[in-house]
Amino acid sequence: MSNKPTFRWWPLAMLGAILAVVVLTWFFDGLKPELRLDMRSLPPGAGHWLGADTLGRDVWLSILAGSQRSILVSIGAALIGGSIGVGLGSVAAFFGNDRLRFTLRTYLAALLLLVVFVYSIAVLWPTVSSTGHVFVGVYTLLALTVFVAICWLLLRRFNLLRSRITFPLDTITQRFIEVISVIPRLYLIVAFAMIIPINMFTLIVLFAVTSWDVMARMVRAEMLKVREMTYIESARIIGLSEPKVFFRHALPNAIGPVATQVCFTISGLLIAEATLSFIGVGVSPETVSWGSIIHGYLENLQAWWLAVFPGICIYLTVISLHALGNDLDRVYHSKH
């Protein structure tokens, strides 16, 4: 009898059913709840098997519709944040503090790009989101990009800026990870909600830029082991360039645990999104999500069904993601 680790059926079935519901509610408007003031806070019964909320919306349909926001925000932010973490963590560990050398003009150009990026996130994006002047924001960003390009061309004329300097990428990345790790995600999003309107897109961006640090730390640890393997040194000996060694040999062998961490990240972001919706941050009264349904329980403490049924959905989704993550981890370690 084989002892080879396998995937349990119930997490896959549960997550498959949830994703199917998300797809169905995306394409079929008939699955979206309608306001019925005559049904406000009705308990479970015939015609509304899970009851109705404080606005008269059927809880069953609200759970179906709310899955779209909760799941899409969590998956989107996890994938974007995971990509950032994999990129920074793997590059920092592979090249370290002594394998990247840039000219001084490259440093100055990168500094200008960093200033433009910080300005876009801290000033331009909040202004565009609050005023709705999208074209003004695009023109401003294009003007700043052209300015950086002109500065780059001017810097190329100075011979003194052509000397190469070692770039301590790994140290800088570690310090950056530490800064992101100590920022409370929910507090940061609540602070942004006072400046810009929080919608699904901005919520995905904010979750992504505050959740990549765990992935970066994990991939960096794997890459530190992979870069010392004999096949990496052999690839260098036969003449492969550093980028080819990185993309062909090092990176594919360092991202094995990524899928496991993505499952855990999605579950954590799902709880974070539900928490924000519960306290009313980033959602309007007519927006439906699992957290906003539970929020209705605060308005009517007798309506127990508003807390129980969406809470069960959150629990089943989170426990399925953790079970799938554990299965992926067992399979990965059985092969290594």
Side-chain angles (χ1 to χ4, degrees):
M1 184 176 179
S2 176
N3 292 324
K4 183 178 179 180
T6 58
F7 292 97
R8 288 169 286 184
W9 66 269
W10 65 267
L12 296 175
M14 184 69 66
L15 295 174
I18 293 172
L19 291 177
V21 167
V22 172
V23 173
L24 288 175
T25 54
W26 185 278
F27 290 103
F28 295 98
D29 292 335
L31 295 177
K32 297 179 180 179
E34 297 180 355
L35 296 177
R36 291 283 303 274
L37 298 181
D38 58 321
M39 293 175 52
R40 287 183 297 180
S41 300
L42 284 179
H48 42 276
W49 301 107
L50 300 185
D53 63 10
T54 55
L55 296 178
R57 295 175 297 195
D58 185 82
V59 172
W60 166 246
L61 294 179
S62 296
I63 289 176
L64 295 181
S67 65
Q68 186 179 125
R69 175 185 171 90
S70 301
I71 298 299
L72 291 181
V73 167
S74 305
I75 293 179
L79 293 179
I80 297 174
S83 300
I84 297 173
V86 169
L88 284 178
S90 59
V91 171
F94 183 79
F95 292 98
N97 291 324
D98 55 357
R99 293 184 180 178
L100 287 180
R101 294 178 62 84
F102 298 109
T103 60
L104 188 56
R105 64 169 178 258
T106 302
Y107 279 101
L108 295 176
L111 180 61
L112 287 175
L113 286 175
L114 180 62
V115 171
V116 170
F117 176 77
V118 173
Y119 172 79
S120 301
I121 295 297
V123 179
L124 189 60
W125 179 29
T127 303
V128 172
S129 300
S130 58
T131 61
H133 296 158
V134 178
F135 290 107
V136 175
V138 172
Y139 292 149
T140 304
L141 189 59
L142 287 175
L144 292 173
T145 305
V146 172
F147 172 75
V148 172
I150 294 174
C151 291
W152 166 256
L153 294 176
L154 294 176
L155 289 173
R156 294 184 62 180
R157 294 180 174 272
F158 295 93
N159 293 329
L160 294 177
L161 300 179
R162 294 182 180 179
S163 58
R164 292 184 172 271
I165 304 174
T166 302
F167 184 69
L169 178 62
D170 192 32
T171 299
I172 292 177
T173 301
Q174 290 186 70
R175 300 293 84 79
F176 198 25
I177 291 174
E178 292 171 0
V179 171
I180 295 297
S181 300
V182 300
I183 298 177
R185 180 188 301 143
L186 295 181
Y187 290 167
L188 179 64
I189 295 176
V190 171
F192 264 94
M194 299 177 182
I195 304 173
I196 61 175
I198 301 296
N199 51 36
M200 184 178 292
F201 172 75
T202 55
L203 196 59
I204 290 175
V205 172
L206 290 173
F207 275 152
V209 299
T210 56
S211 63
W212 59 267
D213 55 305
V214 176
M215 186 73 73
R217 191 180 292 110
M218 182 195 68
V219 174
R220 178 182 175 276
E222 289 293 321
M223 183 61 77
L224 289 175
K225 294 186 294 184
V226 168
R227 74 175 188 178
E228 302 299 329
M229 298 295 180
T230 55
Y231 61 85
I232 299 296
E233 189 61 31
S234 300
R236 291 195 178 102
I237 291 175
I238 63 176
L240 290 181
S241 63
E242 288 294 301
K244 288 184 178 180
V245 174
F246 175 76
F247 285 108
R248 291 185 182 180
H249 302 284
L251 185 60
N253 290 283
I255 60 174
V258 166
T260 300
Q261 185 58 43
V262 167
C263 292
F264 296 147
T265 301
I266 293 175
S267 65
L269 293 177
L270 179 67
I271 296 175
E273 191 281 330
T275 302
L276 289 173
S277 299
F278 175 74
I279 62 178
V281 175
V283 292
S284 57
E286 64 274 6
T287 302
V288 180
S289 70
W290 289 346
S292 65
I293 300 173
I294 300 177
H295 176 77
Y297 174 70
L298 298 179
E299 301 178 14
N300 184 1
L301 298 181
Q302 303 299 320
W304 54 267
W305 55 91
L306 297 180
V308 171
F309 296 125
I312 290 175
C313 292
I314 295 173
Y315 172 77
L316 292 177
T317 305
V318 170
I319 198 174
S320 299
L321 286 167
H322 276 259
L324 179 59
N326 289 329
D327 290 347
L328 289 169
D329 187 60
R330 287 203 318 272
V331 171
Y332 171 77
H333 283 94
S334 68
K335 294 180 179 180
H336 297 77

